[in-house]
Structure formats: structure tokens, C-alpha cells
Amino acid sequence: MKKTFRTDINGLRAWAVVAVIFFHFGIPGFGGGFVGVDIFFVISGYLMTGIILKYLHNDSAKSPALFVFDFYTARAQRIIPALFFLCLVLMVVGYFYLPSGKYEQLSTHVIGALSFVSNILFWKESGYFDVSSHEKLLLHTWSLSVEWQFYIFLPVIVLLWWRFVSHKLAGFFILGFIISLLISIVGTYLKPTPAFFLLPTRAWEMLAGGLILLFGHRLHFSNNVQRWFEYAGYCIIVASIVLFDSSMQWPGSWAMVPVLGTCLVIVANQQQSIFSGHGIAQRLGDASYSLYLWHWPLCVVLVYLGLASSTTAIVFALIATLILGFLSYRYIETLTRQKLGVLNRPMFTSVALLALGLLIVPSIFVKLSDGLPYRLSSHIEAIFGESDNKNPRRDECHVAGSTPVPECHYGGDKLGVIVLGDSHAQAIIRSVEKSMADPLKNVLDWTLSSCPVIEGVKDRYDHDYRCGEFIEETLLKEKTLPNDVPMIIVNRLSATFFGSNELNPHGDLVGGAAPKRYITTPYDEYSNAYRIEMRDGVINTLCEIAENRTVYMVRPFPEMGANVPDSMGWAAMQGKEKHVMLSLEDYFKRHQYAWDTQDIAADRCGIKILNPLPYLCDSENCYGDVDGLPIYYDDDHLSERGGQLLIPMFRQVF
């Protein structure tokens, strides 16, 4: 366990950070650049295991408790200063430029990042590859939280194993690797979002680095064989970066590919490598942490400014990443390590806790103050505010995944109407309530996120998806309700037939080419056969409901293709007026198949049609705002303000 500097590992850091940065900026050829994080995890596991083994095998007089404390201190000196400075800059700049909702969100994420639990926060909010995640300035800190959590547990567990189980640590690392890998594969299959963010499904990658350290020195190969190991490792890494993409379920078994490539490069131990030993790779490796920290906020800024697809803007952002990253490395990372390194343990702990408190406490204040509203003009705040103008009972009454549907009632004590559908149905449910003339009647909320009204529908990726089961339950329950109670069905049918039309900030379609939904067997593309099967599923389900009651189905809402409040708000921040609109021609290119499906159901079993276009569109275009304020809370869900426009339409039901 000699203390030597591994230029190959430092250069490998450069490969990892460049892959991640180019992926986030949407550089062609880097669709799988997110594997850079997996490379970092393997490197961390290798290095941290080396530190622990050095302590154990050197017969140090230092007590285990003191070693663990020093281990944490060293990690804190490495990680916290640059992260603290980034968070500080973002909070200061955000005070002047972020609307209250986004400033409150930033304050929450700062607290999570500095407490190293941001991976848990982001898991509960949305998926890493979701469009909404591109607007979270500290999204990338999830990986730091995973690493820090690993750092907390690793030395303690290893020391306990060493003392009470065996001085041979291979058993622990092998057992931990196998368990974590199995959890990762099964978790990615069943629960992809938590599997992406949480430590139990990521620990195996870091434990793989530990296994390389434990067994690598026992492997003796010629220099030629080791060079071929390196070539193979880099080929695997490059293939992962080029061939993988964000539509893959990650990490799961696919993550074994870049992990294997990283392990081969580390085992090869080539210190004068043409891939990693040159000056550019070494300098990028030195500054990789700071480069990683600063690149993502710049990506988000481009999204805010609507420049994420601009080649010129991307080039300037990459240059800014280099400048800020190297400045952070030189004047934050290096200097603070030198200054803090001379402090004794109690003094360093006091300084670190004081610094964290000086930023966490104000962040808590910002969060409790709802993002300090009134810093910007009332008009700008009102535009952005439509993002939160949703059903106030949404969190209570609208669920996703396997959570049982709460079946909320809106209004009086007597059942007046049933609303069945997905989040589009939930978005207008209070408008239905307001359209009822009888205040004694109520609306029954039967809505489940991302659930088309198709009996037996399944999800090829999320095996905990219970939409089909929910629809089957509603078909049974509705037969027990009075037949004179009408049902209104609202679904984002075109997303079922053609997939999501959301684009990521680089203009690429989100969601992949393969349909997520199926009835009998998964399809690999949105083929005519797939659409016919799904259409039949929709019509058959509608007709079964229509046997017992009057059924109204709402035509598809215009999907604007851009987050309306954000698009208008960021334009207003730049002194510009922007209106998000969709031509009727484009509307029907997207929704004609859904219209035809509804018409077939109307002819076959007498369902009635409600058309929102006269209330949201004119003879040429559909609009995302009225009187300069959005009527959507994102790109395709009507806000409460937008739902008000449809009250006259829903009155036709009563």
C-alpha cells in the first residue's frame, strides 16, 4: 500500500468528466455520457478502500474511532469547500434572478446538497432524465450525496468486519457487491427512479473498485497483456458513451459495462498511457470535481434562456465551464485544502459546521418564506406563478405508481358526476365541480397519473404499474353507482398512441422509441399494429362503461410543446414578450388519430364528445396564455386559470 500517484486514474477522471459534461450539453456522440458518473463511483471505491486498507495493514497506533474521524475530515476537506462556494454563488445570483418558486426550490436543494441527501430529494421529485430535471440547478449533486453516504458507511462496516468477523475483507466486498448488484438489477426493473438515485443500488459500483484493489495486486500479467487490458477497457468505455442513451433503464445490468471497462483500465495500471498520461488529461483530471460542479448550472442557465440548442451558446458555456472549473480548483479546492489542512480536528470541525450553518440557515429561511416573493416585478411573478396554480388538493387526491387512488369528492354530499382519467383529468376536475348547478352534488375523482382508460394496460418498464388493475376496479365499482350519474373521461390519448412529444432542451424527443404501454405483449415501436391494439382497448373499455351510464369524453387538449410559464417568464426576465402557441394544423397532426378513436367509440356505443378547442383556440391557433398570463402549468396540463375557460363546456353535461 505504497502512497503513489496514479496518473492513469487521474486521466480516467478526465474521461469521466468530459463524458458527463458533453452529455449534458447535448454534444452529438455522447448520448451515453452519463456513464461518467459510474466511472467516478468505481474510482472512489478503489481509492477509499485503499485508504482503509493502509490503516489496517500498517498497524497504526491511531484508534479506529480516530481513524474514522480523520477519514471523514479528509473527505470533507476535499468535497465541501467547492460545493459550498457553488451553492453560495447560486443563492446570491438566484436572489436577483430567480422567481420565488424556483428560488424556494433552489434553497431546498442547497439544504439537501450540503446535507448530502440531495439524491433522496431528487428521487422524490422526478426522474433524472425527465424534462423538468433540466431546470434544477443542483441536480448533479445527487452523485456527491451517494458518494458521501458510501464514505460514511464503508470505514465503519469494514472496521467492524475486521474486528468481529475476519481479517480477510474479500468476503465483505464480494457479499456487498453481489447483494447491491442484485438490488440494482431488480430495483431498476421494478422501481427505476429510486434505483437510479439511491445508495443501495449504486454501492456495488464503488465496491467493484474495492474488489479491484483487493485482488488486482494478486494478478500478474506481462506488460503487453496489461496494455491490452487498457485498450479493452477504453474500448468498452467509449462504446458505452457512444452507444448507450438516456432511454435505457439505468443502472441495472447495463451499468456493468462501463464498470467493467473502468476496472480493466485500473487493473492495467498504465502510467504513461497515450489515453490518460498526457498533460491535457492530467489537468482535466486534477480539476474534474470543480468542472463537474460548475458545468451543470451553466446547462440550466442555457435552458432558462432558451439557448440549450444553440451551438454558439453551448461553445461559450463549455468555455465558461473550463474557466470556472479551473478557477474553483486553483482558488477554492487547492487553497482551502492547504489552509484547512493545518487546523487541528476540533478547529476544522468547528469551521466546517459554521460555514455550512451560514448557508443552510439562510436557505431554510428562504424556503420558509416561500422563496422571498416580491423581489421581481408582480407581472413576472404572476407568469411564473402559474406553474403552481394547480388543484390545491392535487397532492392529496392524485397519485401515481402503486399508491391506491384516494377517490376524493369535490362539492356536496350527493354524487353528481364521475371524472375518470389521468393527470389531464385531474387538472380540470375543479372546473367540473364549478360547472355543476346543484351545490349539493359532488365530483368523484377517479384519476391516476399516466393511466389511459384501457382495461388490462401494462407498462413494459415499471412492473409496479397498476393502471390496468385500477381500470378493472373502476369498471366493477361504477356498476354499483347510480346509473343516472354521468362520467367524464379525460385522457392524454395521443401520448398512448404516439408517445410523449416533449423535447429535452437539446431538441431530442424524450421517452425513447419503444412504447411504454401494452396490453398483450410489448412492442418495439409505435407501429400501426400497436396503435390498433391500443385503440381497440380504449374503445372496448369506453363501451363497457357506456352500457351503464352516459359517458362524455373530452377531445385532447392542445399540447404546446414548451413549458408555457417558464417560456413566457424567462422571456419577460429579458424584457421580451412571448406567446406560446400551436397551429391547428400541428394540433391535428398530433391528435387526429385520437379524434378518430373517439368518433368510432361515439358511433359504436353512443359516448358523447366534449370539444375544448372553441375555448382554447381560434380559427388558426391554440394559445398558451390569455391576457398575458399562462393558462397551462407546464407544456400540456391546464392550470386552474386555464380550466376556468372550460366551465361552459362542462355545463353541457348538466
Side-chain angles (χ1 to χ4, degrees):
M1 298 306 302
K2 295 180 180 178
K3 184 177 178 61
T4 57
F5 182 76
R6 292 280 300 265
T7 58
D8 59 328
I9 291 179
N10 196 46
L12 194 55
R13 286 195 186 104
W15 281 74
V17 78
V18 168
V20 172
I21 291 173
F22 280 15
F23 166 70
H24 283 151
F25 278 109
I27 306 299
F30 287 82
F34 54 85
V35 305
V37 172
D38 304 273
I39 296 172
F40 277 126
F41 284 161
V42 177
I43 293 173
S44 292
Y46 179 88
L47 297 176
M48 295 308 105
T49 303
I51 293 171
I52 297 170
L53 289 183
K54 184 182 178 191
Y55 165 74
L56 292 175
H57 288 289
N58 278 2
D59 247 354
S60 174
K62 186 186 295 184
S63 70
L66 193 56
F67 164 73
V68 171
F69 185 81
D70 285 347
F71 181 89
Y72 294 160
T73 300
R75 304 287 73 70
Q77 289 177 348
R78 174 78 172 91
I79 293 175
I80 290 178
L83 176 62
F84 172 87
F85 184 71
L86 171 70
C87 292
L88 176 63
V89 170
L90 292 180
M91 287 299 292
V92 171
V93 174
Y95 178 86
F96 296 100
Y97 294 105
L98 287 181
S100 56
K102 296 188 182 299
Y103 197 46
E104 179 186 3
Q105 182 188 65
L106 174 61
S107 68
T108 302
H109 294 166
V110 165
I111 297 167
L114 295 178
S115 304
F116 295 104
V117 294
S118 62
N119 60 323
I120 299 173
L121 292 181
F122 294 127
W123 153 48
K124 292 183 175 295
E125 291 178 358
S126 60
Y128 179 79
F129 299 111
D130 291 355
V131 174
S132 60
S133 293
H134 286 82
E135 299 183 2
K136 299 173 182 177
L137 287 158
L138 290 171
L139 176 69
H140 60 322
T141 64
W142 76 270
S143 62
L144 304 182
S145 294
V146 170
E147 286 197 68
W148 186 259
Q149 291 158 17
F150 181 75
Y151 297 160
I152 289 175
F153 292 113
L154 181 66
V156 175
I157 296 175
V158 169
L159 292 179
L160 289 174
W161 182 283
W162 179 271
R163 180 170 182 179
F164 296 108
V165 181
S166 171
H167 282 196
K168 295 181 179 180
L169 298 177
F172 160 72
F173 278 86
I174 293 173
L175 182 63
F177 175 87
I178 293 174
I179 292 174
S180 176
L181 178 59
L182 290 175
I183 293 173
S184 180
I185 293 172
V186 175
T188 302
Y189 182 76
L190 296 176
K191 295 284 188 180
T193 299
F196 185 93
F197 282 113
L198 300 183
L199 175 63
T201 52
R202 292 289 190 166
W204 68 272
E205 299 178 87
M206 290 170 273
L207 291 171
L211 286 170
I212 291 300
L213 185 70
L214 286 171
F215 291 103
H217 70 282
R218 302 180 186 179
L219 304 175
H220 301 288
F221 302 102
S222 67
N223 288 335
N224 283 336
V225 171
Q226 287 183 286
R227 276 196 296 271
W228 280 109
F229 277 175
E230 184 192 37
Y231 297 156
Y234 275 110
C235 284
I236 291 172
I237 290 171
V238 171
S240 302
I241 294 170
V242 174
L243 300 178
F244 290 178
D245 61 56
S246 58
S247 67
M248 302 173 70
Q249 296 296 293
W250 201 264
S253 55
W254 281 114
M256 297 173 67
V257 178
V259 168
L260 172 62
T262 306
C263 291
L264 286 173
V265 172
I266 294 175
V267 169
N269 196 9
Q270 298 297 295
Q271 298 309 297
Q272 303 300 323
S273 169
I274 60 172
F275 301 110
S276 60
H278 52 83
I280 294 176
Q282 290 304 301
R283 286 175 175 79
L284 289 172
D286 290 339
S288 59
Y289 175 51
S290 284
L291 291 168
Y292 179 77
L293 285 180
W294 282 98
H295 87 281
W296 179 252
L298 294 172
C299 289
V300 175
V301 169
L302 294 188
V303 173
Y304 286 167
L305 298 177
L307 298 173
S309 299
S310 167
T311 301
T312 303
I314 291 172
V315 170
F316 276 106
L318 287 171
I319 294 172
T321 297
L322 285 174
I323 293 172
L324 292 172
F326 279 103
L327 287 175
S328 173
Y329 169 69
R330 176 67 182 87
Y331 295 104
I332 305 298
E333 283 192 69
T334 305
L335 284 183
T336 54
R337 209 177 306 162
Q338 293 171 353
K339 300 295 183 183
L340 295 175
V342 301
L343 300 178
N344 58 38
R345 298 183 191 91
M347 182 61 70
F348 170 78
T349 304
S350 300
V351 171
L353 292 176
L354 177 62
L356 292 175
L358 288 175
L359 191 50
I360 289 177
V361 170
S363 298
I364 294 174
F365 175 76
V366 171
K367 178 175 174 56
L368 295 177
S369 302
D370 298 323
L372 301 178
Y374 314 119
R375 292 171 294 108
L376 305 177
S377 73
S378 58
H379 179 61
I380 291 176
E381 287 284 3
I383 292 175
F384 280 111
E386 283 300 310
S387 294
D388 299 316
N389 189 12
K390 307 170 186 176
N391 180 353
R393 297 181 65 189
R394 185 175 187 271
D395 292 341
E396 169 197 356
C397 298
H398 187 64
V399 297
S402 59
T403 306
V405 174
E407 302 191 33
C408 293
H409 292 264
Y410 297 76
D413 296 327
K414 182 180 179 182
L415 181 62
V417 64
I418 306 164
V419 173
L420 175 65
D422 52 20
S423 57
H424 280 210
Q426 195 279 332
I428 50 81
I429 202 161
R430 295 186 74 232
S431 300
V432 175
E433 176 193 1
K434 295 171 185 176
S435 69
M436 291 191 299
D438 189 346
L440 299 179
K441 291 186 176 181
N442 66 54
V443 183
L444 173 57
D445 181 347
W446 276 353
T447 63
L448 179 64
S449 181
S450 300
C451 182
V453 180
I454 301 174
E455 186 176 7
V457 68
K458 305 173 185 66
D459 189 296
R460 69 183 299 162
Y461 301 120
D462 185 357
H463 299 274
D464 207 18
Y465 182 72
R466 67 177 304 271
C467 173
E469 177 186 340
F470 165 67
I471 297 300
E472 291 169 2
E473 291 172 357
T474 61
L475 292 175
L476 294 175
K477 289 180 181 178
E478 66 90 13
K479 291 179 174 62
T480 67
L481 300 177
N483 291 347
D484 60 344
V485 175
M487 177 182 288
I488 299 173
I489 296 176
V490 187
N491 255 167
R492 192 182 180 191
L493 280 181
S494 297
T496 301
F497 293 139
F498 297 98
S500 170
N501 68 336
E502 282 96 349
L503 302 178
N504 68 23
H506 309 297
D508 300 320
L509 193 64
V510 173
K516 296 172 62 178
R517 310 285 181 247
Y518 70 97
I519 300 175
T520 57
T521 185
Y523 285 77
D524 293 327
E525 60 180 351
Y526 288 95
S527 62
N528 286 333
Y530 163 79
R531 278 189 284 274
I532 290 171
E533 181 175 9
M534 299 307 283
R535 168 182 276 181
D536 289 343
V538 171
I539 294 171
N540 292 337
T541 306
L542 293 176
C543 290
E544 183 172 348
I545 299 172
E547 291 177 359
N548 304 299
R549 69 188 67 255
T550 303
V551 175
Y552 293 83
M553 193 163 196
V554 179
R555 297 289 196 194
F557 296 136
E559 299 174 3
M560 306 310 294
N563 186 300
V564 179
D566 283 358
S567 298
M568 294 178 63
W570 293 120
M573 291 278 288
Q574 301 170 63
K576 303 174 184 177
E577 184 177 8
K578 181 173 183 177
H579 299 283
V580 180
M581 63 183 66
L582 176 76
S583 71
L584 283 179
E585 180 182 359
D586 288 337
Y587 171 89
F588 281 108
K589 284 180 182 177
R590 170 75 171 165
H591 299 297
Q592 187 63 61
Y593 196 87
W595 275 55
D596 293 344
T597 301
Q598 293 173 329
D599 289 342
I600 294 172
D603 291 340
R604 187 173 299 177
C605 45
I607 71 164
K608 301 180 183 299
I609 304 294
L610 297 174
N611 184 10
L613 295 196
Y615 307 91
L616 304 175
C617 314
D618 59 22
S619 60
E620 296 183 355
N621 298 299
C622 301
Y623 298 92
D625 70 290
V626 171
D627 298 329
L629 288 177
I631 58 173
Y632 288 78
Y633 67 71
D634 54 16
D635 64 307
D636 58 75
H637 293 87
L638 290 172
S639 65
E640 289 288 282
R641 187 169 184 271
Q644 296 275 358
L645 302 174
L646 301 184
I647 291 177
M649 180 186 77
F650 289 122
R651 282 182 180 150
Q652 300 173 40
V653 176
F654 308 103

